[in-house]
Amino acid sequence: MTALWIVLGIVLLLCFLAFLRPRVTLRYDGEISVNLRILFLRFRLYPRKVKVSLRDYRYRKFRKQKSKKTPPKQTHTQKEATRTRSLKQNIRLYWFIFQKLYVRFLKYFRMDLSILHITVATGDAANTALVTAAVSQTVAYLMEILRQHTNFHTGYRADVQVAPDFLSEKSRADCKITFSIAVWQIFSLGIRASYYFLKNTMIPRKNHD
């Protein structure tokens, strides 16, 4: 009976971890900041704190390395040919994996827009009005495209506005958007990517170039 409870606890823990959804929040209000939140834990990813250590100001002693015999180098033409062939193969492989996964990735990858403030200023009242109308329509079209083709959301508390500023000469923007994806979705994409990678590297295709 004890073993059954242990197994049940492990299963519940794995289910909890699988449905865990890390969130990365991007904020721009003149400066960019990126924060990671996992449950109640928050980590600042950018900008990072600069740690100053006394070791950075000590003199370092450099030792001369002994010369080692190097194998004969390939000619420049051989290197370029090998590098070009390898690059083409990698690009073809990554593009194939991207084609197989991008639809599922856009379905899993959630974007939540919380704040979008755009203040348009050009120094001229007529130009400011025209640019404000153009920016407003562009934002509306872009958000509609994102809603139709991606997992994009704007909650009922989202604050989205485009406003003119006829007195200023410099435009401003304030944006806060959160990206999230569940752990099980990351594993699902990783397993599929590994399958397609092995399929195209270890198992030769019939119509392979």
Side-chain angles (χ1 to χ4, degrees), residues 128-142:
T128 299
L130 292 175
V131 174
T132 301
V135 172
S136 180
Q137 289 295 324
T138 302
V139 170
Y141 290 148
L142 180 60

Side-chain angles (χ1 to χ4, degrees), residues 58-70:
R58 294 178 181 177
Y59 291 102
R60 296 180 179 179
K61 297 181 180 180
F62 298 93
R63 297 180 178 179
K64 294 183 179 179
Q65 297 181 354
K66 296 181 179 180
S67 58
K68 298 180 180 180
K69 294 182 179 180
T70 56

Side-chain angles (χ1 to χ4, degrees), residues 1 19 27 30 38 58 67 69 101 103 107 115 118 120 122 127 133-134 153 161 163 171 190 194 201 204 208:
M1 189 67 180
F19 286 93
R27 180 68 185 268
I38 303 176
R58 294 178 181 177
S67 58
K69 294 182 179 180
L101 297 181
V103 174
K107 179 181 178 182
I115 300 174
I118 300 178
V120 180
T122 62
N127 290 336
H153 298 269
Q161 61 179 355
S171 299
S194 301
T201 55
H208 193 271

Side-chain angles (χ1 to χ4, degrees), residues 167-192:
L167 301 179
S168 179
E169 296 182 355
K170 186 177 181 181
S171 299
R172 302 181 302 275
D174 185 4
C175 179
K176 182 181 179 181
I177 185 169
T178 301
F179 307 95
S180 63
I181 186 171
V183 174
W184 73 267
Q185 294 171 340
I186 297 175
F187 275 103
S188 175
L189 292 173
I191 291 173
R192 289 177 179 272

